[in-house]
Amino acid sequence: MLMDAAGYRESLRAYHPRVFVNGQRVESVADEPLLAPGINAVGLAYGLAHQEAHLPVMTARQTSSGKTVNRMLHINEGSGDLLAKLEAVRLVCKISGCAQRYLSHDALNALWQATALTDARHGTDYAQRFRAYLHEVQDKDLTLGVAMTDAKGDRSKRPGAQANPDSYVHIKERRKDGIVIRGTKAIVTGAPYMHEFLVMPCRTHVPGDEDFAVCCAVPCDAAGVTIVARPAGRPGDRAAKFSSQYGQSTGVVMFDDVFVPWDRVFLAGETEEGGFLTTSYATHHRHSCIGARAGFGDLLIGAGALMIEANGLDTERHGHVREQMVELIKITEGFFACGVAASVYCQKDPAGSVMPDSVFSNIGKLLLATQIYDMHRIAHYVSGGLIVALPGPDEDHNPETAASLSAVLAGRPDIPHAQRAEVARFIEDLTVSKEAGWYSVISLHGGGSPEAMKREIWRNYPVAEKVELVESLLGRGVLADGGRVSKQPGRCCVAGCEVPEMPGGAPREAAE
Ligand SMILES: Cc1cc2nc3c(=O)[nH]c(=O)nc-3n(C[C@H](O)[C@H](O)[C@H](O)COP(=O)(O)OP(=O)(O)OC[C@H]3O[C@@H](n4cnc5c(N)ncnc54)[C@H](O)[C@@H]3O)c2cc1C
């Protein structure tokens, strides 16, 4: 049964998580005003799955169960699914900014692949457990928080070498009936209003790291779980035209000796497959991030055009503002096109699902990670200074100033000042406020920092093929003679010839 937005909000009442926001204990997540914009945003991803016009992208048929599920919980079976997911994420994000639920999708798809791989290599039964869990999640239409990014401590040290072992979530005890985990996940989007968390490793591990290679599902109110979160968006702020309605909280999630039964454990010590799980999640998630930020681009393109109009300018006559708008469109559709290409050139996984192409997914995410700042700049360029200088909404009703402000701050004569002010506040909210900073930083670091994407592009791009192409054209035959040794990883050995060192001797690793 697919829930709608109201059903999702009500479903949160069945849980009693230990949540703190702004230093205060939250008694009822469903009723907490500081979390309302986040619940609205997640609710949107439920609500759109009931609207006729959006059914093709917002729902899908899960072959393994034969049931119709929310797109955000579906395991992709072909490039059509990936394109639909990309469109679905763009749709929910152009209305809500960030609806979180696609993170659930990305983790479920990565786990589908990783559990099958682990079983094939180790004779375990993770895939069977995971399928049972997946179908339960789909049937109950749950939203899962992705608890991947560990607190990490000193970035130059491996998990086991940290002064505080709780910097990384790890297995503290293995019991007959399950495992006990402890440690901290530092950044979890939507943490206070998730039904469950999927705890996943955030980096590659090596033998010796077995206790850190752990993946499991934990209800948000399991004994020992504490969530310390920020408010979602800018609740109660009347100047926040967008983020008083929609926005995401992020939470630190602490696991203090949390028991997890075996049927909820999907990886427990298999270090190499833990690395596969992390990378696979990153690829699915970067593909989703492309759709998400394209939705943000839609908001800026629309708001920029309205602001130009309210200022009395005409893009036909004033070429420099048109040029900026074209630049904004180029950026948005440029990285979105990478998402389309990643969907079209997807790869079939032995588990039966598909994976978006890694190079295109990583390039798209890398583009948006830095171009988000250009997107903000363009919105500022075409808008003018009003977006930071306009007096606050209280002045709109001040009998001593409202009328004269309205008269002198009007732009084009046929567009009322109030309308111009609305758009200016909308752009302020999305590009100047603290919420705007949130969108910048999630674009830069969410789904992994730029260095992680560059590594994946370099690791997966077939540079060797290009070298062979040129060499064959040049007719040199150098490779065949063994006369030149390539430094490209994988050409001479798996790791490449030179592993850069961090100061202090620790191997250089980019976190996911
Ligand atoms: C708004 C927001 C929402 C998020 N939501 C989620 C979520 O729902 N779930 C989740 O699991 N995560 C989430 N993340 C976390 C995100 O995945 C991380 O921010 C990202 O992986 C970077 O990790 P970090 O923040 O710890 O930064 P760091 O890893 O500290 O990186 C900071 C810089 O240091 C560099 N660096 C780090 N380690 C090394 C090293 N060993 N050697 C050399 N350079 C290094 C990085 O390349 C980067 O430039 C979210 C992040 C944001 C901003």
Side-chain angles (χ1 to χ4, degrees):
M1 176 65 188
L2 298 187
M3 277 194 275
D4 61 11
Y8 156 65
R9 181 188 296 274
E10 283 309 302
S11 73
L12 295 175
R13 297 188 193 285
Y15 298 81
H16 302 284
R18 187 165 183 254
V19 176
F20 295 88
V21 179
N22 287 351
Q24 301 291 321
R25 177 82 192 257
V26 173
E27 292 307 329
S28 167
V29 165
D31 301 307
E32 173 54 58
L34 294 175
L35 300 174
I39 295 171
N40 290 345
V42 176
L44 188 84
Y46 282 96
L48 290 174
H50 291 271
Q51 293 184 14
E52 192 69 32
H54 300 307
L55 294 184
V57 298
M58 288 305 299
T59 60
R61 189 175 171 279
Q62 179 68 52
T63 302
S64 57
S65 66
K67 293 182 184 167
T68 297
V69 301
N70 189 297
R71 174 71 62 191
M72 302 296 155
L73 302 178
H74 182 239
I75 303 299
N76 301 303
E77 295 170 13
S79 66
D81 274 337
L82 290 171
L83 286 167
K85 187 262 298 196
L86 198 64
E87 292 289 355
V89 174
R90 186 170 184 164
L91 173 68
V92 294
C93 290
K94 75 180 171 193
I95 304 174
S96 70
C98 171
Q100 192 287 337
R101 254 195 130 192
Y102 53 89
L103 278 84
S104 310
H105 161 281
D106 303 334
L108 291 173
N109 275 272
L111 269 163
W112 179 275
Q113 294 173 259
T115 50
L117 178 76
T118 313
D119 288 359
R121 288 184 180 168
H122 298 280
T124 43
D125 65 349
Y126 291 123
Q128 195 186 333
R129 282 182 213 172
F130 175 69
R131 275 176 193 230
Y133 176 72
L134 171 75
H135 291 152
E136 184 188 328
V137 166
Q138 290 173 333
D139 288 348
K140 293 183 179 168
D141 207 10
L142 300 180
T143 290
L144 309 174
V146 170
M148 179 178 245
T149 304
D150 291 279
K152 297 186 203 167
D154 181 338
R155 270 58 174 164
S156 70
K157 293 190 167 70
R158 298 206 64 83
Q162 296 296 331
N164 182 346
D166 295 342
S167 303
Y168 282 83
V169 170
H170 57 279
I171 301 173
K172 187 186 168 197
E173 191 187 342
R174 290 165 190 268
R175 293 176 13 187
K176 240 181 167 169
D177 49 352
I179 58 174
V180 175
I181 59 169
R182 67 176 289 120
T184 304
K185 294 294 186 182
I187 312 179
V188 179
T189 299
Y193 38 86
M194 297 294 106
H195 296 110
E196 303 210 351
F197 296 113
L198 277 173
V199 174
M200 302 168 81
C202 82
R203 60 179 295 163
T204 53
H205 290 296
V206 294
D209 286 340
E210 281 77 9
D211 287 345
F212 300 94
V214 58
C215 176
C216 53
V218 178
C220 64
D221 57 356
V225 173
T226 300
I227 301 160
V228 186
R230 294 164 65 104
R234 298 167 67 193
D237 185 340
R238 286 195 297 122
K241 300 307 298 177
F242 188 82
S243 57
S244 59
Q245 300 301 311
Y246 295 117
Q248 289 299 336
S249 169
T250 50
V252 179
V253 183
M254 293 182 275
F255 297 87
D256 185 6
D257 291 351
V258 176
F259 173 72
V260 187
W262 282 117
D263 62 349
R264 298 287 173 119
V265 177
F266 310 124
L267 186 87
E270 295 82 0
T271 50
E272 208 177 323
E273 291 72 25
F276 174 85
L277 175 62
T278 307
T279 308
S280 168
Y281 170 79
T283 306
H284 285 289
H285 187 50
R286 290 168 194 167
H287 182 253
S288 294
C289 290
I290 291 170
R293 227 48 72 216
F296 188 77
D298 292 333
L299 292 171
L300 291 193
I301 292 165
L306 283 173
M307 198 68 207
I308 290 168
E309 192 182 69
N311 284 345
L313 297 179
D314 177 355
T315 47
E316 294 304 317
R317 285 194 298 127
H318 305 103
H320 68 293
V321 286
R322 182 179 65 241
E323 190 192 305
Q324 291 296 310
M325 290 298 288
V326 170
E327 183 67 17
L328 185 54
I329 294 165
K330 186 193 85 179
I331 290 172
T332 303
E333 303 303 347
F335 62 71
F336 189 72
C338 287
V340 174
S343 310
V344 171
Y345 294 119
C346 64
Q347 278 118 37
K348 195 91 188 158
D349 188 87
S353 59
V354 289
M355 175 91 153
D357 177 78
S358 175
V359 170
F360 282 117
S361 298
N362 278 281
I363 291 177
K365 170 67 194 7
L366 186 59
L367 286 174
L368 73 89
T370 50
Q371 291 182 339
I372 184 76
Y373 298 95
D374 297 316
M375 293 165 78
H376 286 177
R377 175 181 50 75
I378 292 169
H380 300 166
Y381 183 102
V382 300
S383 299
L386 194 71
I387 56 173
V388 294
L390 184 69
D394 289 343
E395 216 59 50
D396 296 349
H397 307 289
N398 180 350
E400 297 192 46
T401 60
S404 36
L405 275 181
S406 175
V408 295
L409 290 183
R412 209 170 90 175
D414 59 335
I415 296 179
H417 160 70
Q419 192 173 315
R420 184 167 180 249
E422 290 264 287
V423 182
R425 285 185 188 135
F426 185 89
I427 295 181
E428 175 191 5
D429 193 15
L430 290 184
T431 68
V432 183
S433 70
K434 83 172 176 54
E435 195 63 7
W438 191 92
Y439 285 110
S440 302
V441 180
I442 198 171
S443 301
L444 189 67
H445 285 297
S449 305
E451 179 62 15
M453 280 148 250
K454 290 178 190 168
R455 280 166 47 120
E456 279 301 285
I457 293 166
W458 187 242
R459 200 165 69 85
N460 289 295
Y461 194 80
V463 176
E465 276 177 26
K466 317 285 169 167
V467 171
E468 273 161 25
L469 165 73
V470 174
E471 283 181 336
S472 72
L473 292 175
L474 293 174
R476 288 163 57 193
V478 177
L479 282 177
D481 298 343
R484 182 170 68 78
V485 178
S486 170
K487 295 287 176 75
Q488 174 68 15
R491 284 302 297 269
C492 54
C493 60
V494 172
C497 299
E498 292 171 4
V499 179
E501 291 281 320
M502 285 282 293
R508 189 180 176 87
E509 289 214 21
E512 284 303 337

